[in-house]
Amino acid sequence: MPVLPAPTYVDVVDAAARLEGVAHRTPVLTSSTANERTGASIYFKCENFQRMGAFKFRGAYNALSHFDYAQRDAGVVTFSSGNHAQAIALSAQLEGMRATIVMPHDAPAAKVAATQGYGGEVIIYDRYKENREAIGQRLARERGMTLIPPYDHPHVIAGQGTAVTELLAQTGPLDLLFVCLGGGGLLAGSALAAAELSPDCKVIGVEPEAGNDGQQSLARGEIVHIEVPHTIADGAAATHLGLYTFPIIQRLVEQVVTVTDAQLIETMRFFAQRMKIVVEPTGCLAAAAVMSGIVPVQGKRVGVLLSGGNVDLARLAQFLG
Ligand SMILES: *Cc1c(COP(=O)(O)O)cnc(C)c1O
């Protein structure tokens, strides 16, 4: 496989065309309670309403749409226990391709079932003994499948960025944009879109406090690796930024801030009670930074990306109870 060049805004526009009529144009919601509490005009971009329940569909589908005939014939392989697995499985189903997903032995049964429900073949590995990237690479070699990683891939980054081209078309220019940060696919794509369409908009990444590798990486000027963090924000439990995502974030993102699990739970409750929507813990990161006043937003026009809504009902009941 040739090494692909770093993605630019042009690739985000190209991805938007490929996703037209396939991905949902998700709604932007507002809340007078949120506006009163913060003194700002807040626009919530609801990717919890995206197909399969998270923005990940955008990047996964965009990546698969670039496959040539031979790649389509052999299919796609990836490693993920979360939303990227479902996004790849659904995208492959829509494109009539085979998908193999490498998942840890302790992945939630609901996520394994959802991935299989979209027609994906799930291969289980022991996360304490084996390396998922090595398994993915071996499958790619043996079966001729193309490996699409969860965040560090130009087509994935460009696809994720379409959430923000859409948001800015819906709201007009913004002063601030808050985006959750795991491996940085969504944040890098969002920053590419915002820099072009709303150049004065400051883009802020939000990580779980327990896993602030992105914040450390910006401070040190290099990619910092951490242990798997213990946080309820499981979608942002990546242990390091990527070779594609880090330089974009370094160039275009104003700062990275952190929030605690307690702030995430408070924010989930706010969404359920006031706005009547289900947002998964990771999906609350950006909103938690705004609602708990970590960054001053008074008088500003503020975009907040709600990244997903896939949460086990029993866990949701615990958080809301
Ligand atoms: C994957 C994911 C994230 C983190 O996205 P990255 O591109 O890895 O930074 C955030 N929220 C949800 C719901 C996710 O599934």
Side-chain angles (χ1 to χ4, degrees):
M1 284 287 288
V3 175
L4 293 163
T8 66
Y9 175 68
V10 174
D11 299 302
V12 182
V13 174
D14 173 73
R18 290 164 186 269
L19 287 165
E20 180 78 47
V22 186
H24 294 321
R25 184 182 166 90
T26 54
V28 173
L29 296 185
T30 58
S31 152
S32 40
T33 307
N35 290 349
E36 277 159 26
R37 276 198 207 166
T38 57
S41 298
I42 312 227
Y43 300 95
F44 296 103
K45 177 64 169 165
C46 291
E47 286 293 298
N48 52 324
F49 294 142
Q50 187 49 265
R51 290 184 84 160
M52 53 59 59
F55 72 90
K56 290 259 180 18
F57 178 71
R58 295 175 182 271
Y61 186 87
N62 185 49
L64 266 52
S65 79
H66 282 268
F67 280 21
D68 64 22
Y69 284 114
Q71 288 177 300
R72 283 174 182 272
D73 204 41
V76 58
V77 59
T78 194
F79 44 82
S80 165
S81 53
N83 288 327
H84 180 66
Q86 291 171 59
I88 286 286
L90 172 59
S91 301
Q93 186 178 56
L94 292 172
E95 292 288 284
M97 287 182 220
R98 285 201 302 155
T100 300
I101 322 288
V102 182
M103 284 192 171
H105 66 284
D106 54 356
K111 290 203 163 157
V112 175
T115 305
Q116 287 167 334
Y118 291 126
E121 178 199 4
V122 175
I123 293 185
I124 300 290
Y125 75 104
D126 182 340
R127 79 154 101 206
Y128 300 104
K129 295 194 187 134
E130 299 164 283
N131 174 315
R132 64 181 197 168
E133 298 183 28
I135 297 173
Q137 274 152 11
R138 178 165 52 78
L139 285 169
R141 240 186 355 259
E142 286 173 5
R143 301 186 181 183
M145 297 177 123
T146 303
L147 181 65
I148 299 294
Y151 55 88
D152 206 26
H153 187 289
H155 299 153
V156 172
I157 294 168
Q160 319 304 32
T162 63
V164 169
T165 54
E166 223 175 80
L167 167 66
L168 290 167
Q170 289 162 306
T171 62
L174 297 169
D175 301 313
L176 292 164
L177 174 63
F178 290 80
V179 180
C180 52
L181 171 58
L186 181 62
L187 181 58
S190 298
L192 289 174
E196 192 75 22
L197 298 173
S198 184
D200 295 329
C201 178
K202 292 190 166 75
V203 180
I204 294 167
V206 187
E207 283 182 315
E209 189 180 80
N212 74 333
D213 61 289
Q215 199 177 45
Q216 292 185 46
S217 299
L218 284 189
R220 280 216 225 149
E222 62 183 24
I223 299 173
V224 170
H225 291 243
I226 58 168
E227 295 289 307
V228 177
H230 290 282
T231 166
I232 60 169
D234 54 344
T239 56
H240 57 90
L241 300 181
L243 297 173
Y244 284 104
T245 60
F246 176 62
I248 298 172
I249 290 169
Q250 203 177 23
R251 184 159 46 93
L252 298 177
V253 170
E254 181 78 10
Q255 62 171 327
V256 172
V257 299
T258 65
V259 299
T260 63
D261 280 4
Q263 286 166 329
L264 291 176
I265 292 172
E266 205 179 304
T267 307
M268 279 180 85
R269 296 171 65 99
F270 169 80
F271 283 128
Q273 185 159 44
R274 296 295 181 140
M275 294 181 68
K276 326 301 176 194
I277 58 175
V278 174
V279 185
E280 65 184 273
T282 317
C284 290
L285 280 165
V290 174
M291 299 296 287
S292 48
I294 289 168
V295 178
V297 296
Q298 205 163 14
K300 307 280 192 204
R301 290 168 50 78
V302 182
V304 173
L305 224 140
L306 308 187
S307 56
N310 291 330
V311 53
D312 187 68
L313 282 185
R315 282 193 87 207
L316 181 66
Q318 279 175 4
F319 292 135
L320 299 185

